[in-house]
């Protein structure tokens, strides 16, 4: 029998026993007992956000950068509903977070009480699992089961809804942090024979490609190390999804760049023409595959994933292995060693073909001496931060794609972005979450002028905790990606995507007690970036870039990998003519 | 929208696979909301539910059996199984149709059928009920309620016939199913 403490104390004790030292949250009527418990202890630090969505993204940032489970605490009703976007984001990107929500007391549930919402009902579809705690006796078990479910198998968000009377009730607590769940048992081993078959397929292939995803990152830093070794041993070209960047070094020899809608020409062409595709911890998302019936038509496909529902979901594969990426790589390297395989094919012809594709230089853009090109801004940011201990988060849109294309990640867990859900407003709170976990590191949110306004209130959080989070806004006065699609698909009718009445970002920063920096000319860019890095505390850098630049290359909607739209296809003239005279007045 | 400029990346490919009916037996923790999780999944992913039955099982460990008849192509049925199996409170999913075939699993359903009428129609209804081994569980001067148990198709046939002799209401339980023989489902 453990010690007798209140439900609120059980919550905090369980969080501490799970090795989580920071929680993000916002108090309210239905979580007052938990906040009282937080006040009276020192093991778990609480970071006060300014909006519950910010708490969820901060918890995601904490989780993705540390590999631990992120925790947020929100009150009932609006507190919980505000967290829903963050929970959904974590579900789509497989980020382990635990959301503790307050609920009205048990006897008031179902009466439409003040700040009552059917939180478990609302969040059923956006969590891996959720619980409504109706008996204090269940609380310790549920707390620990929740952490187990969040981090096991394919990680994801979970929610525990705790009525206020349960928080006050007293119960026995014992540390059950080693608990598993009686029915939720994801695969823990790997099929040796199947892995052997993959190795044989590689040996027989002429044009193989590795297509990796966020699963490798989720599998831990060791998976990334082994991936590097596996690529070195086999000499297979490698590309990755948005979520998987950093698992294999962006400066690595076999790296083709990101694939998919805004991926590189060489990566997409190689995906299309390969004869063997090994998909490791990715899920054949529509941004990756393009037109699905023309997706890599002549390849054998191998899919390694921890989650059975991802297999044969969008693309039918020839060989599926249900396993954790790290376990697969351990087994694969062991088989290569045991069988003493030294003579993997060199894929000479394949690499020559890839080098030809590389000469297209798909990421080239027209430099401009008077206007900062957004690509140039990311290139300079990369050059000036690559030797530092840097974490990059992004919002969603053109800036996100340019960051993915031009910032090279050599390590896992350094790149945090909202891939699956595409949540504008993710980057800044996520950056705060990273900065809380790594106070000494350089954490930069690459943002757009529209996205940053979605969770700008978190600047108050950054100022309060003296976080050094930097916001690097590629300000083009548009919801750039929306505008680009309107140009490409809707006759350039720029419907509601112009950022009218933008704030003065420098003054905005100052109003919050942070620092604002403005850069308008390419010649001032480096100095401004260095100033941003060197200024302590949160900084907003308003980097004003070319307004109408489009993000290329691009697989246009409904096209196949080998049907990419390259930047050079669209001349400046075409772009400028695409806007009529009335539109020009606004620019 | 023309061929060259489709407005969306989301091409739906129609694969001409034959639709099949499958009976799934799903053992779940008997906890609040578990049924909502299962049917919510079907709704969210666009899967079909043809029939659904939920009840306690023999086990004392607070388990429930959800017997669910669904239809879809073989690949869709496979997707349904792995999706349901991934739900945290689900212990196991058995596809009775795939695992044991049409005759390896025992599937039964009960229906209550109200028939209203007088004279010849009333007599005919009684005769048909007798032919189908349906029991008369309620009677008034101008109505009967019949109770019939059997395979879904048999009940469909009975209801079909009854509609021409005054059927007014039907209530069906949905399919209950077990594997034949000594082994557990």
């Amino acid at each position: 029998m453990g010690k007798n403490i209140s439900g609120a104390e059980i919550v905090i004790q369980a969080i501490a026993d799970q090795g989580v030292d920071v929680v993000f949250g916002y108090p309210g009527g239905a979580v007052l007992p938990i906040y009282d418990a937080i006040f009276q202890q020192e093991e778990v630090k609480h970071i006060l956000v300014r909006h519950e969505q910010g708490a969820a993204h901060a918890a995601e940032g904490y989780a993705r950068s540390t590999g631990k489970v992120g925790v947020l605490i929100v009150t009932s009703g609006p507190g919980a509903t505000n967290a829903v976007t963050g929970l959904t984001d974590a579900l789509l990107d497989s980020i382990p977070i635990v959301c503790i929500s307050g609920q009205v007391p048990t006897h008031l549930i179902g009466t439409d009480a003040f700040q009552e919402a059917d939180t478990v009902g609302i969040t059923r579809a956006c969590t891996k699992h959720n619980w409504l705690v109706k008996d204090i006796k269940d609380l310790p078990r549920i707390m620990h089961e929740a952490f187990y479910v969040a981090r096991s198998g394919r990680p994801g968000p979970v929610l525990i809804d705790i009525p206020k009377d349960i928080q006050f009730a007293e119960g026995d607590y014992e540390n059950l942090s080693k608990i598993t769940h009686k029915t939720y048992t994801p695969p823990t081993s790997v099929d040796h024979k199947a892995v052997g078959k993959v190795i044989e397929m590689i040996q027989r292939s002429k044009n193989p490609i590795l297509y990796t995803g966020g699963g490798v990152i989720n599998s831990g830093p060791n998976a990334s190390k082994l991936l590097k070794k596996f690529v070195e041993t086999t000499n297979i070209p490698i590309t990755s999804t948005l979520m998987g960047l950093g698992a294999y070094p962006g400066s690595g020899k076999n790296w083709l760049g990101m694939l998919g809608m805004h991926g590189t020409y060489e990566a997409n062409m190689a995906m299309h023409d390969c004869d063997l595709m090994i998909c490791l911890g990715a899920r054949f998302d529509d941004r990756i595959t393009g037109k699905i019936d023309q997706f890599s038509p002549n390849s054998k496909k191998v899919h390694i994933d921890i989650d059975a529902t991802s297999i044969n979901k969008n693309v039918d594969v020839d060989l599926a292995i249900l396993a954790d990426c790290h376990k697969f790589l351990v087994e694969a390297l062991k088989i290569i060693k045991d069988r003493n395989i030294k003579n993997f094919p060199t894929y000479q012809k394949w690499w020559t073909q890839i080098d030809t594709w590389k000469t297209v230089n798909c990421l080239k853009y027209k430099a401009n001496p008077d206007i900062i090109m957004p690509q140039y801004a990311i290139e300079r940011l990369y050059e000036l931060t690559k030797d530092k201990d840097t974490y990059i988060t992004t919002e969603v849109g053109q800036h996100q794609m340019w960051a993915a294309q031009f910032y090279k990640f050599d390590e896992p867990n350094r790149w945090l972005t909202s891939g699956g859900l595409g949540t504008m407003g993710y980057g800044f709170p996520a950056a705060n979450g990273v900065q809380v976990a790594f106070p000494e590191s350089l954490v930069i949110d690459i943002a757009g002028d529209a996205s940053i306004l979605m969770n700008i209130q978190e600047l108050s959080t950054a100022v309060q905790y003296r976080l050094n989070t930097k916001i690097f806004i590629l300000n083009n006065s548009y919801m750039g990606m929306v505008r680009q699609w309107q140009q490409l698909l809707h006759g350039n009718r720029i419907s509601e995507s112009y950022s009218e009445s933008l704030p003065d970002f420098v003054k905005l920063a100052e109003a919050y007690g942070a620092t604002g920096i403005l850069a308008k000319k390419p010649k001032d860019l480096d100095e401004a970036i260095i100033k941003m890095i060197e200024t302590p505390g949160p900084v907003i850098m308003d980097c004003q870039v070319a307004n109408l630049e489009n993000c290329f290359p691009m697989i246009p909607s409904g096209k196949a990998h080998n049907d990419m739209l390259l930047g050079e296809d669209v001349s400046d003239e075409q772009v400028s003519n695409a806007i009529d005279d009335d539109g020009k007045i606004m620019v | 929208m023309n061929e060259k400029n489709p407005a969306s990346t989301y091409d739906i490919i129609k694969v001409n696979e034959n639709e099949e009916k499958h009976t799934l037996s799903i053992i779940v923790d008997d906890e609040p909301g578990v049924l909502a999780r299962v049917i919510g999944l079907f709704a969210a992913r666009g899967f079909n539910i043809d029939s659904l039955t939920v009840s306690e099982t023999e086990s004392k460990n607070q388990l429930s059996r959800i017997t669910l008849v669904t239809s879809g192509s073989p690949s869709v049925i496979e997707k349904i199984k792995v999706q349901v199996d991934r739900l945290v409170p689900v212990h196991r999913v058995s596809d009775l149709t795939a695992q044991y075939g049409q005759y390896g699993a025992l599937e039964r359903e009960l229906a209550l059928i109200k028939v209203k009428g007088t004279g010849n129609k009333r007599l005919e209804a009684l005769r048909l009920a007798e032919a189908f081994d349906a029991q008369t569980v309620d009677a008034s001067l101008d109505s009967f309620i019949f109770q019939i148990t059997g395979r879904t198709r048999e009940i469909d046939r009975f209801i079909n016939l009854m509609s021409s002799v005054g059927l007014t209401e039907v209530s069906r339980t949905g399919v209950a199913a077990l594997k034949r023989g000594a082994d557990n489902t």
Side-chain angles (χ1 to χ4, degrees), chain A residues 130 183 286 292 307 313, chain B residues 10 13 37 79 86 88 91:
Chain A
N130 58 16
T183 55
D286 58 74
I292 208 140
D307 178 13
K313 184 177 65 179
Chain B
Y10 301 97
I13 307 167
R37 281 180 214 285
K79 282 174 195 170
R86 185 170 70 157
V88 169
H91 287 241

Side-chain angles (χ1 to χ4, degrees), chain A residues 291 558-559, chain B residues 1-6:
Chain A
K291 193 170 191 197
K559 293 280 177 67
Chain B
M1 200 50 66
N2 65 34
E3 264 292 297
K4 280 191 174 159
N5 272 322

Side-chain angles (χ1 to χ4, degrees), chain A residues 278-574:
Chain A
I278 301 169
C279 169
L280 187 61
R283 59 183 176 89
F284 298 95
D285 176 86
D286 58 74
R287 301 282 111 164
I288 293 305
T289 60
K291 193 170 191 197
I292 208 140
D293 55 356
Q294 286 170 26
F295 173 69
S296 193
N298 303 313
S299 60
K300 290 266 180 216
K301 297 176 187 71
V302 176
H303 190 184
I304 299 105
D305 205 294
I306 190 82
D307 178 13
T309 69
S310 288
I311 288 169
N312 291 336
K313 184 177 65 179
N314 301 332
V315 171
D316 283 336
V317 297
D318 300 279
L319 176 62
I321 300 178
L322 206 56
D324 173 62
C325 294
H326 179 251
K327 292 239 161 62
F328 167 81
L329 288 165
V330 169
E331 194 66 26
L333 287 165
K334 187 168 170 288
I335 290 174
I336 292 171
K337 202 175 157 208
D338 290 352
R339 295 188 188 169
N340 201 16
I341 307 172
K342 295 228 166 63
N343 53 339
F344 273 102
T346 55
Y347 309 119
Q348 199 68 53
K349 261 175 106 177
W350 182 225
W351 275 110
T352 310
Q353 173 65 65
I354 289 170
D355 287 339
T356 316
W357 287 325
K358 280 185 179 171
T359 59
V360 167
N361 192 14
C362 68
L363 294 179
K364 71 168 174 258
Y365 59 90
K366 287 201 179 74
N368 189 320
D370 300 318
I371 304 168
I372 301 174
M373 297 308 283
Q375 299 94 329
Y376 177 71
I378 304 284
E379 278 182 327
R380 292 314 302 157
L381 183 72
Y382 171 65
E383 289 301 327
L384 295 168
T385 57
K386 65 179 179 186
D387 297 326
K388 298 182 187 303
D389 173 18
T390 310
Y391 292 82
I392 300 287
T393 73
T394 75
E395 311 288 335
V396 169
Q398 285 184 322
H399 67 273
Q400 177 189 29
M401 292 299 114
W402 281 317
Q405 291 171 339
F406 289 89
Y407 204 103
K408 294 186 182 66
F409 296 92
D410 282 348
E411 286 173 53
N413 305 91
R414 297 281 174 162
W415 161 249
L416 299 91
T417 193
S418 171
L421 194 65
T423 312
M424 291 169 73
Y426 165 87
F428 181 38
N432 284 344
V434 179
Q435 193 77 76
V436 165
F438 300 100
E440 304 303 323
S441 302
L442 175 62
V443 185
I444 304 171
D445 169 33
I446 298 177
D449 51 271
S451 283
I452 191 59
L453 291 179
M454 285 224 181
N455 271 320
I456 191 67
Q457 77 287 342
E458 296 307 312
L459 193 48
S460 214
T461 307
V463 170
Q464 179 184 348
Y465 296 97
R466 298 189 181 89
L467 303 177
N468 291 314
T469 324
K470 312 302 179 204
I471 303 171
F472 186 74
I473 303 176
L474 293 182
N475 182 353
N476 61 4
S477 303
Y478 279 100
M479 297 162 207
M481 195 59 96
V482 175
R483 187 203 53 75
Q484 178 170 342
W485 279 59
Q486 288 172 335
Q487 182 182 1
L488 288 166
L489 294 171
H490 297 282
N492 204 27
R493 287 179 292 281
I494 310 297
S495 178
E496 304 295 324
S497 56
Y498 178 65
S499 296
E500 187 70 56
S501 307
L502 273 183
D504 177 331
F505 284 110
V506 173
K507 280 188 186 158
L508 180 71
E510 285 162 2
Y512 274 102
T515 309
I517 299 171
L518 178 66
K520 281 181 158 176
K521 297 282 172 203
K523 64 177 171 50
D524 304 327
L525 183 62
D526 278 21
E527 198 186 328
I529 292 174
I530 290 165
K531 192 178 165 201
M532 172 186 85
I533 297 166
E534 288 177 350
T535 307
V539 178
I540 293 182
M541 176 165 161
D542 182 2
C543 180
Q544 299 192 347
V545 298
N547 282 4
L548 298 174
E549 184 66 1
N550 284 331
C551 187
F552 290 116
M554 178 179 186
I555 302 177
S557 326
K559 293 280 177 67
H561 276 168
N562 59 347
D563 208 357
M564 290 194 84
L565 193 58
L566 294 165
E568 69 200 286
D569 293 351
V570 187
S571 66
D572 268 3
E573 197 178 291
Q574 278 173 293

